[in-house]
Amino acid sequence: MSTADLSARPGAALTGTIRVPGDKSISHRSLILGALANGVTTVEGLLEGDDVLATAAAMRAFGASVTRTGPGAWTIEGQGRFVEPGDIVDCGNAGTGVRLIMGAAAGFDLKATFTGDASLKKRPMGRVLTPLGLMGATWLSREGGRLPLTLSGGGLKGVRYVLPMASAQVKSAVLLAGLNASGETVVAEPEATRDHTERMLRAFGASVDVTDASEGRTIRLQGGQSLTGCHVAVPGDPSSAAFPLVAALITPSSTVTVEGVMLNPLRTGLFDTLIEMGADLTIANRRDAGGEEVGDITARYSPLKGVVVPPERAPAMIDEYPILAVAAAFASGSTVMRGIGEMRVKESDRIALMAAGLSACGVGVEEEPEGFTVVGTAGGNHPVRGETRVTTHGDHRIAMSHLVLGLAAQGSVTVDEPGMIATSFPGFVELMQGLGGEIG
Ligand code: S3P
């Protein structure tokens, strides 16, 4: 992992047609479900980022055979169960990886010790441990349910669990544990979150019942179901596509197309918000790709205006607020983002780091406990100055957001720990350079 700083300088327009790596959420799930299944699972377009590679290594530790057969092409031979790992399972930077794997592992009679990098060791695991405990799992952890922790699984009973926060990771952990619990497991989510686990469980042959009502979504699963290996085609990650698309919207004379981007409505809140801000964002060639809708998204440089983002949209764009805040910095008027306290427990406290980074770049930001407001600079007399070095706390999305800002600011922006970008978006720098972006 590179430790040298990386800088983005304002320069020419960005132009070109690109593809971004495979979706991170679907990539993690394809490996985990493949390892839980009987038989062979083949994956094409797997995101070969550090987070997902950590999950691949973890699945080997739990007994699956996991092989790379070509770029993005992987084969997983599951045994229909997890076995006890012979060593500590290190999930690196990946919250999705560790939380989903803990859920899956809890269903088996084994002990497993999990750890992660400095960021993951600070993140709350109690949100997953609490429902797993209700089902019968036990654990020994650091203070506050922090990693490293040892989980003992097996003998689980199905549970009815109402999610106390909008979290697809918690929902998924409970459903994966429920697969190997006795009786029925029911997860009720007051706000719908990304549904990749439910969709993929069905693709692997499980029966999952989903009902939508005004008070939320309920997912039901009978325990004791076995999964059968299948083929997974991973679509382009909308959370990664967000960076080149916003870069084009804020850099004069730019036009960028990202092909094959997943358009699952529980993931596209950023695109809806950008269109409300006046972005010239068009989606063409909508098609089905392996059970998910994908399309080619074109962004052209656009004058943007500030908006109030509806808090109920947060689950559909929770990872995109950092790059939205960058777009908001170049808009006219303020952009108000509320109901996003979850941002404080991501790879870093993303509200605090975006507020600090944007302020250092000359942008007005008002931070609140559960949100922030960015005062757009367009039409005002305070440009987005840039000319700063940002401490990213090892957070890939904080790094990429500030580099995108640097492409359109008055002066360059430098980030530390750029090697962390490879957790979700390997090849980001080369891709942006190919569009004409001066990053290096
Ligand atoms: C993810 C869910 C989200 C998101 C994360 C990936 C997933 O987290 O932030 O990057 O794949 O389920 P929460 O479910 O904790 O909000």
Side-chain angles (χ1 to χ4, degrees):
M1 182 188 307
S2 148
T3 49
D5 287 355
L6 192 64
S7 299
R9 284 168 294 283
L14 303 171
T15 45
T17 298
I18 55 171
R19 280 182 176 265
V20 293
D23 185 69
K24 182 153 76 72
S25 295
I26 293 184
S27 295
H28 280 297
R29 287 162 172 79
S30 68
L31 292 167
I32 297 168
L33 269 62
L36 284 171
N38 288 298
V40 176
T41 292
T42 48
V43 185
E44 65 177 278
L46 187 90
L47 165 64
E48 294 176 332
D50 292 342
D51 272 15
V52 175
L53 297 179
T55 291
M59 292 305 95
R60 288 191 190 105
F62 280 102
S65 151
V66 182
T67 323
R68 182 177 193 264
T69 56
W74 290 66
T75 297
I76 306 118
E77 286 185 59
Q79 300 188 21
R81 65 190 177 95
F82 278 8
V83 301
E84 185 164 291
D87 208 338
I88 295 168
V89 178
D90 187 343
C91 292
N93 191 244
T96 307
V98 76
R99 293 188 176 119
L100 269 58
I101 295 168
M102 286 198 294
F108 300 96
D109 182 14
L110 54 78
K111 286 188 174 43
T113 301
F114 296 90
T115 193
D117 70 4
S119 154
L120 198 60
K121 280 191 274 206
K122 285 192 205 132
R123 298 180 65 184
M125 296 300 144
R127 54 181 53 201
V128 169
L129 296 170
T130 299
L132 295 181
L134 293 173
M135 298 174 85
T138 58
W139 63 90
L140 191 63
S141 74
R142 285 176 57 232
E143 188 63 29
R146 294 323 201 245
L147 299 174
L149 67 83
T150 299
L151 184 73
S152 300
L156 300 190
K157 287 196 285 299
V159 71
R160 183 189 157 81
Y161 194 66
V162 181
L163 292 184
M165 74 287 289
S167 171
Q169 294 177 355
V170 177
K171 168 178 66 178
S172 302
V174 177
L175 292 175
L176 294 179
L179 264 185
N180 289 296
S182 60
E184 188 183 53
T185 290
V186 183
V187 181
E189 46 178 9
E191 291 176 281
T193 65
R194 64 189 71 191
D195 58 355
H196 308 304
T197 300
E198 299 91 299
R199 285 173 183 249
M200 207 183 282
L201 280 169
R202 284 187 181 140
F204 277 78
S207 167
V208 183
D209 180 62
V210 180
T211 47
D212 268 312
S214 55
E215 64 278 11
R217 179 174 282 214
T218 305
I219 304 108
R220 291 192 152 75
L221 171 94
Q222 268 308 325
Q225 300 192 57
S226 55
L227 305 181
T228 307
C230 65
H231 181 72
V232 181
V234 185
D237 194 331
S239 300
S240 296
F243 297 104
L245 291 172
V246 168
L249 293 176
I250 62 175
T251 307
S253 307
S254 298
T255 302
V256 168
T257 298
V258 186
E259 291 179 335
V261 181
M262 180 171 58
L263 298 172
N264 180 315
L266 293 166
R267 295 289 299 281
T268 48
L270 172 74
F271 304 138
D272 299 334
T273 305
L274 290 170
I275 289 167
E276 286 170 11
M277 293 172 80
D280 182 349
L281 204 67
T282 50
I283 305 180
N285 199 11
R286 286 178 182 264
R287 58 205 184 268
D288 178 85
E292 290 282 3
E293 189 183 24
V294 302
D296 305 334
I297 309 185
T298 298
R300 293 182 182 81
Y301 172 70
S302 308
L304 300 175
K305 56 180 194 314
V307 293
V308 177
V309 184
E312 62 274 14
R313 193 178 287 164
M317 55 178 292
I318 192 65
D319 292 336
E320 281 66 77
Y321 284 92
I323 192 63
L324 175 64
V326 170
F330 290 86
S332 58
S334 293
T335 295
V336 181
M337 295 164 276
R338 295 209 166 107
I340 51 173
E342 279 292 301
M343 272 186 73
R344 292 199 185 273
V345 290
K346 294 294 176 187
E347 286 82 329
S348 68
D349 178 343
R350 288 181 171 161
I351 294 180
L353 291 195
M354 285 313 298
L358 291 177
S359 304
C361 291
V363 180
V365 184
E366 242 171 73
E367 190 178 336
E368 298 166 19
E370 305 239 323
F372 62 135
T373 296
V374 173
V375 184
T377 57
N381 52 7
H382 295 289
V384 179
R385 190 182 57 234
E387 285 166 27
T388 196
R389 177 175 183 274
V390 175
T391 307
T392 63
H393 291 244
D395 186 325
H396 51 128
R397 296 197 205 281
I398 297 295
M400 288 187 279
S401 297
H402 285 94
L403 289 170
V404 166
L405 181 145
L407 295 174
Q410 293 205 312
S412 66
V413 173
T414 298
V415 302
D416 70 352
E417 300 189 66
M420 291 303 288
I421 290 171
T423 60
S424 67
F425 199 159
F428 167 77
V429 173
E430 296 74 13
L431 215 83
M432 296 305 292
Q433 287 169 339
L435 294 171
E438 293 191 20
I439 300 185

